[in-house]
Amino acid sequence: VELLRRLLLLPPRPAIADALRSACEALGAATGPLPLVRPLPVGKMVRLLSARQANAHFFRDLAQLLGGTSAAMADEALRSLNERLLVVVADEAGAVAASPHQLAEAAAAAHETIRSLLELDAPPGQLGTPLELGDVESPPQQQQAGEAATAAATSSSSSSAAAADVAGSSASASA
């Protein structure tokens, strides 16, 4: 809804408008299910990772986001949608657009790094427990993992939010 509001108040450049239109068409033509990806707030994610205050529950949510993003980017049926959404996400983020293949690789690598840092199959009662000192690797490796996760997840979260906004826009336009 926020993206649609901004687009109506300040129309995008023609290239971005064309990418949004194409993304809506690709989303409407999609016949298979979309991977489950729950976006995380980018500001909160960056704040927690840079302050090194993220707990195991946060990293599990981040791993789920990265796994879904990796699956979506690797899905050939969603290739057209992914390419169009990445153009929109790059414009929104003010960054250079990555290819779906590059984003899938970065998301998968960050997902594996998180998996190596903590056990993702912990009992449900322990989801919010902070990481123990023995659960993490040395500080340089932990910092690298946090930086890789932040970079991949920022793209993933922005892409997920844009996909949700485009899906909502497409649904309200067809109604």
Side-chain angles (χ1 to χ4, degrees), residues 5 10 14-15 18 61 111 113 134:
R5 181 179 299 136
L10 183 63
D18 289 343
D61 288 347
H111 184 264
T113 300

Side-chain angles (χ1 to χ4, degrees), residues 11-128:
R13 298 186 328 263
I16 302 305
D18 289 343
L20 277 168
R21 181 189 48 77
S22 297
C24 288
E25 289 173 356
L27 188 60
T31 56
L34 298 175
L36 179 63
V37 179
R38 193 183 109 223
L40 296 173
V42 176
K44 177 181 178 182
M45 183 175 27
V46 171
R47 186 180 72 247
L48 287 173
L49 289 172
S50 63
R52 296 183 183 197
Q53 294 181 347
N55 60 19
H57 181 72
F58 170 80
F59 278 110
R60 284 187 190 91
D61 288 347
L62 183 56
Q64 181 183 18
L65 169 73
L66 293 168
T69 299
S70 180
M73 292 296 133
D75 190 347
E76 282 300 315
L78 299 175
R79 183 178 182 170
S80 177
L81 175 64
N82 291 336
E83 290 172 352
R84 301 322 184 270
L85 283 178
L86 286 175
V87 170
V88 176
V89 168
D91 184 67
E92 285 288 308
V96 176
S99 73
H101 179 69
Q102 290 171 324
L103 184 56
E105 285 181 353
H111 184 264
E112 285 306 311
T113 300
I114 291 171
R115 287 183 64 89
S116 71
L117 289 176
L118 51 106
E119 182 62 40
L120 294 178
D121 298 326
Q126 295 181 2
L127 288 178

Side-chain angles (χ1 to χ4, degrees), residues 1-4 6 24 159-172:
V1 173
E2 185 67 29
L3 177 64
L4 183 59
R6 274 188 293 131
C24 288
S159 179
S160 301
D165 284 344
V166 169
S169 302
S170 177
S172 43

